[in-house]
Amino acid sequence: MLELLSLIESAQPWPLEPQPAGAVDFGLNTFSAVRYGADGSAEVIPLAVSGDRAAENPEPNAHALYEALFHEIMIHETAVPAWLEPKSIPREPLAAFCGLDETLFEVASLAVSYSDPRSGEREYMPDEDETRETLDWLAGLVVTCKRSALPYAGHTCVYTLYSPQGEKLAALEFFHDLLVTGDGMYAVEPGHSQAQ
């Protein structure tokens, strides 16, 4: 519930982008979020419509809400026609999403640290094989939908990449299978990784 509330608080009412629709005489399913101001005024944030026509709000928080409403709240089963499902699911390679040169995974060395609010942080230096396998895995990850706008602290795993000269290039933080960023957490999935 806190994750959904964080997305409602952060969602922006961007214009809906038209999507291919596959229904005739179905009508429309309308998905919206409602955010209340301190004075009790309501702001309706359009998330999507589907049915005889389809359109989606591409803003990451709004799209994450739409995905959650469709799959987790309404609990659509596999019998739902494909034309009803969310269409514009983002898929971006991890390097591009983080603004990194994708070739850095080929030359970087790696340090891994685990953060626990109770016991603090501990660092682990993987051997050469583990480093290569982890870098290949990271290089193949694809970032998909946002899952939460909550900042997360603790119980995370951080992969820190260094240049051959020892310069810190990037730090990629994960909470279980979610990528932790400054504006929330995003789902990731394997893409073209050579080593899984």
Side-chain angles (χ1 to χ4, degrees), residues 57-136:
N57 183 337
E59 193 270 327
N61 298 290
H63 196 272
L65 275 171
Y66 174 39
E67 285 275 324
L69 284 173
F70 192 89
H71 292 292
E72 297 171 31
I73 307 300
M74 296 177 67
I75 312 176
H76 284 296
E77 302 296 336
T78 54
V80 168
W83 48 263
L84 265 182
E85 294 195 6
K87 306 270 189 294
S88 61
I89 297 171
R91 291 184 53 80
E92 187 174 11
L94 177 66
F97 182 85
C98 295
L100 303 173
D101 180 347
E102 63 184 30
T103 62
L104 79 85
F105 294 109
E106 298 169 14
V107 298
S109 59
L110 181 70
V112 182
S113 61
Y114 300 95
S115 174
D116 182 327
R118 290 187 185 152
S119 59
E121 191 171 305
R122 60 187 171 88
E123 192 167 289
Y124 168 70
M125 298 302 293
D127 64 28
E128 191 174 320
D129 290 341
E130 290 173 301
T131 295
R132 185 72 266 146
E133 183 176 324
T134 302
L135 289 171
D136 284 346

Side-chain angles (χ1 to χ4, degrees), residues 23 30-31 34-35 42 48 50 68 80 96 102 110 123 142 146 149 157 170-171 176 180 182:
T30 304
F31 298 85
V34 179
R35 183 167 48 218
S50 68
V80 168
E102 63 184 30
L110 181 70
E123 192 167 289
V142 172
K146 191 170 188 177
C157 177
H176 297 290
V180 178

Side-chain angles (χ1 to χ4, degrees), residues 135-154:
L135 289 171
D136 284 346
W137 171 71
L138 289 169
L141 285 181
V142 172
V143 180
T144 63
C145 287
K146 191 170 188 177
R147 290 289 179 243
S148 167
L150 294 171
Y152 197 80

Side-chain angles (χ1 to χ4, degrees), residues 2 15 24 26-27 40 52 89 125 170 179:
L2 288 175
V24 175
F26 181 85
D52 289 344
I89 297 171
M125 298 302 293
L179 175 67

Side-chain angles (χ1 to χ4, degrees), residues 12 20 28 32 37 43 47 65 85 92 111 118 125 163 165:
Q12 298 300 313
L28 285 179
S32 301
E43 177 187 12
L47 303 177
L65 275 171
E85 294 195 6
E92 187 174 11
R118 290 187 185 152
M125 298 302 293
S163 73
Q165 295 76 32

Side-chain angles (χ1 to χ4, degrees), residues 170-186:
L172 304 168
E173 185 173 11
F174 291 84
F175 172 66
H176 297 290
D177 59 349
L178 297 175
L179 175 67
V180 178
T181 73
D183 71 328
M185 292 181 277
Y186 290 76

